Amino acid sequence: METIRRTKIVDLLKRRDFGSMVNVKGWVRTRRGSKQVNFIALNDGSTINNVQVVVDLANFDEELLKQITTGSCLSVNGELVESVGAGQACEIQARAIEVLGVCDNTYPLQKKGHSMEFLREIAHLRPRTNTFGAVFRIRHNMAIAIHKFFHDRGFFYFHTPIITASDCEGAGQMFQVTTMNLYDLKKNENGSIIYDDDFFGKQTSLTVSGQLEGELAATALGAIYTFGPTFRAENSNTPRHLAEFWMIEPEVAFNDINDNMDLAEEFIKYCVQWALDNCYDDVKFLNDMFDKGLIERLQGVLKETFVRLPYTEGIKILEEAVANGHKFEFPVYWGVDLASEHERYLVEDHFKRPVILTDYPKEIKAFYMKQNDDGKTVRAMDVLFPKIGEIIGGSEREADYNKLLTRIQELNIPMKDMWWYLDTRKYGSCPHSGFGLGFERLLLFVTGMANIRDVIPFPRTPRNAEF
Ligand code: 4AD
Ligand code: MG
């Protein structure tokens, strides 16, 4: 076959130089037609759209034609011609075809319309479906949007460690990292494991958040963000929890809670706008296939100013709802950690737009949050979104050395883990704030997918680490 420089399908579909000879490479989605002419829908992943390859059967060898099956990989040389059919402007009149890889009928993606559950079982192949192609192209685009947003505003991308000896959230949901022989653990007289001989000489885990190290950076570089994998061994089998997820954590010196809320709102809106501007074909596909309200919801969030409301006021609204007969699965009272049904009630039923809830009871939030004068609440902020619930968690940080130390002691957090963090409050402490956006929660919102396992290529959840 003559060598012609390959054109990606996304670029090819924009071309109008009919009559040119082109080459495309990709995987066969469908093949249909008559005894004279076949139409092959070819996709190379560069776009949701396929290019139609028109094959005059008389011009091709029968053995070759037999190998052109759903899932097979082809290299096609042909003439770019104007399409007569509706839908696409151009197609390829095939002149030469090479089968790069055959695909037999055990290929599980023969037919359309597989369930999401089934596709999760073949996560190694599901990127070849329209749905997952769209989701993973959007995922890439969101990552680019995030870097661009912060870079354009003078934030520095700061790399925090994956392996750590401290539990940022203090929730005890960490995966241990060890090279010890688990059959032969050395223990002291109290039965505690001795880590002296372990790789790091102490107990270490996978990080649940880069925030603490992010604060070190913010109080030096001014404004930073992290964007990396985080790990939580929480045994929650929900459509919104992963054991391994990606988090974006900006941290800014001199920002108070209000600046923090402004940043969060501007940031999310920027990402949503980016998806509409740069991934419209994919978003439209997901809108039409799964979630007819998706585009409207995305545009809605851009229009609305987020509600800003103290937790205490939020509880009052929820208690009123209960008094008026609304049934929640979990109880509502001041001090409770809100369940996603509560968050979604505020957002979807009561305010009908995103809500930033602030000033939570200190007992249900992490040790590092700035303490309010009431002695009961902290300057926390959770951004709550339609269909998702909590999409962002953050706070102004406690900048006062003594107050922070007292809280650390109250919660029995071992000082050997925290001395370096406290140093920020000892040497030139300053007000500062930050938050964490769950990348997959953002993707749930932007793609309209119903389950968080379907917006990350290889989900890690309890009892599931395949691929
Ligand atoms: O609210 P979280 O636990 O906050 C922190 O980790 C802070 N250190 C962030 C900060 O202030 N720098 O988690 C932040 C966000 C949540 O709002 C949620 O979007 C996401 O991370 N998240 C998860 N996403 C998927 N699976 C899980 N198990 C998640 N846990 C939290
Ligand atoms: Mg949270």
Side-chain angles (χ1 to χ4, degrees):
M1 204 167 94
E2 188 194 347
T3 309
I4 302 174
R5 204 187 149 89
R6 174 190 167 221
T7 307
K8 284 190 184 179
I9 291 171
V10 66
D11 299 324
L12 189 93
L13 293 176
K14 291 179 201 144
R15 282 172 59 169
R16 297 294 175 268
D17 51 330
F18 304 125
S20 302
M21 285 297 289
V22 295
N23 170 268
V24 289
K25 295 183 171 69
W27 294 269
V28 175
R29 283 293 167 78
T30 58
R31 174 179 168 185
R32 58 184 181 83
S34 65
K35 288 209 171 74
Q36 287 82 40
V37 187
N38 271 196
F39 302 97
I40 298 168
L42 203 67
N43 189 283
D44 68 358
S46 60
T47 159
I48 186 88
N49 300 306
N50 305 322
V51 67
Q52 172 152 285
V53 179
V54 183
V55 186
D56 246 315
L57 300 189
N59 300 338
F60 292 87
D61 176 56
E62 209 168 299
E63 283 308 304
L64 175 106
L65 289 172
K66 264 193 224 159
Q67 295 185 342
I68 302 178
T69 57
T70 300
S72 61
C73 187
L74 308 183
S75 174
V76 178
N77 284 353
E79 188 185 332
L80 187 69
V81 295
E82 193 164 2
S83 185
V84 283
Q88 281 179 5
C90 62
E91 59 192 30
I92 297 172
Q93 186 72 48
R95 290 290 146 73
I97 299 177
E98 185 186 344
V99 177
L100 299 177
V102 296
C103 183
D104 69 23
N105 61 13
T106 61
Y107 183 54
L109 294 172
Q110 300 285 349
K111 300 190 296 273
K112 289 184 180 165
H114 297 293
S115 73
M116 288 294 145
E117 289 77 11
F118 172 72
L119 291 173
R120 255 171 246 149
E121 288 169 20
I122 52 164
H124 60 306
L125 295 173
R126 67 179 183 169
R128 291 205 199 167
T129 63
N130 282 331
T131 302
F132 285 93
V135 167
F136 297 140
R137 277 186 298 271
I138 295 172
R139 189 178 164 106
H140 157 80
N141 268 282
M142 286 295 96
I144 298 298
I146 286 160
H147 285 299
K148 183 153 170 52
F149 175 87
F150 287 117
H151 176 74
D152 287 353
R153 284 157 187 76
F155 286 61
F156 300 107
Y157 180 28
F158 191 76
H159 293 116
T160 51
I162 306 289
I163 300 174
T164 171
S166 55
D167 181 356
C168 172
E169 292 305 298
Q173 295 170 327
M174 304 187 82
F175 289 101
Q176 273 201 55
V177 173
T178 181
T179 53
M180 291 195 301
N181 177 356
L182 299 182
Y183 289 106
D184 184 24
L185 290 177
K186 275 193 225 132
K187 296 188 182 164
N188 65 17
E189 57 274 20
N190 306 326
S192 308
I193 296 164
I194 300 170
Y195 286 95
D196 295 0
D197 296 339
D198 202 356
F199 189 91
F200 296 105
K202 56 158 85 172
Q203 186 177 8
T204 54
S205 306
L206 296 176
T207 188
V208 295
S209 160
Q211 179 195 322
L212 302 187
E213 292 89 351
E215 285 185 53
L216 309 183
T219 53
L221 301 170
I224 64 93
Y225 68 106
T226 72
F227 187 171
T230 45
F231 307 86
R232 299 210 182 165
E234 54 190 332
N235 204 0
S236 3
N237 248 313
T238 82
R240 278 175 300 277
H241 287 89
L242 290 164
E244 177 179 300
F245 64 99
W246 287 65
M247 187 152 54
I248 300 95
E249 296 184 274
E251 191 71 35
V252 189
F254 317 118
N255 267 11
D256 66 14
I257 187 79
N258 292 311
D259 304 319
N260 207 31
M261 287 193 272
D262 291 343
L263 181 67
E265 184 165 345
E266 190 194 354
F267 174 46
I268 294 214
K269 286 181 171 170
Y270 182 93
C271 292
V272 171
Q273 185 70 60
W274 185 280
L276 288 171
D277 292 347
N278 295 277
C279 316
Y280 194 77
D281 285 356
D282 288 323
V283 171
K284 177 89 172 55
F285 171 83
L286 296 170
N287 181 87
D288 297 348
M289 287 300 289
F290 295 103
D291 182 353
K292 296 277 184 308
L294 175 61
I295 291 179
E296 210 182 294
R297 212 158 49 244
L298 298 183
Q299 286 164 343
V301 158
L302 293 176
K303 279 204 304 275
E304 305 285 10
T305 309
F306 297 2
V307 175
R308 299 180 183 192
L309 186 81
Y311 167 94
T312 303
E313 299 297 316
I315 290 291
K316 278 187 199 148
I317 293 170
L318 293 168
E319 283 174 339
E320 257 164 52
V322 172
N324 291 330
H326 191 92
K327 295 261 180 299
F328 290 114
E329 191 184 339
F330 297 101
V332 177
Y333 53 91
W334 197 94
V336 76
D337 200 358
L338 295 182
S340 144
E341 56 170 346
H342 304 136
E343 298 170 338
R344 291 184 58 180
Y345 178 86
L346 291 174
V347 173
E348 292 166 27
D349 297 328
H350 191 83
F351 289 109
K352 301 193 166 48
R353 55 192 163 121
V355 174
I356 312 182
L357 217 53
T358 61
D359 303 288
Y360 283 72
K362 65 177 180 192
E363 277 74 25
I364 57 170
K365 289 294 180 188
F367 72 93
Y368 49 70
M369 297 193 179
K370 183 172 171 66
Q371 296 160 33
N372 284 323
D373 294 337
D374 63 11
K376 292 193 301 195
T377 59
V378 287
R379 217 156 279 182
M381 55 166 244
D382 278 8
V383 181
L384 313 179
F385 251 50
K387 300 263 272 190
I388 311 293
E390 178 189 339
I391 194 164
I392 280 181
S395 75
E396 185 169 340
R397 317 306 187 190
E398 182 52 76
D400 182 278
Y401 180 87
N402 289 318
K403 284 188 184 165
L404 185 61
L405 181 64
T406 307
R407 192 70 190 134
I408 286 176
Q409 285 162 348
E410 275 169 12
L411 293 170
N412 289 319
I413 300 170
M415 271 310 294
K416 66 175 178 23
D417 297 341
M418 285 301 154
W419 63 272
W420 50 269
Y421 181 69
L422 278 160
D423 270 3
T424 53
R425 279 44 171 191
K426 205 153 89 186
Y427 305 127
S429 186
C430 70
H432 59 287
S433 301
F435 61 81
L437 168 75
F439 190 44
E440 286 76 18
R441 299 247 177 118
L442 172 69
L443 286 168
L444 276 179
F445 183 70
V446 168
T447 62
M449 299 300 279
N451 193 309
I452 201 163
R453 293 166 178 80
D454 300 330
V455 294
I456 187 166
F458 304 104
R460 298 291 178 250
T461 51
R463 313 207 62 76
N464 175 33
E466 192 74 37
F467 311 108

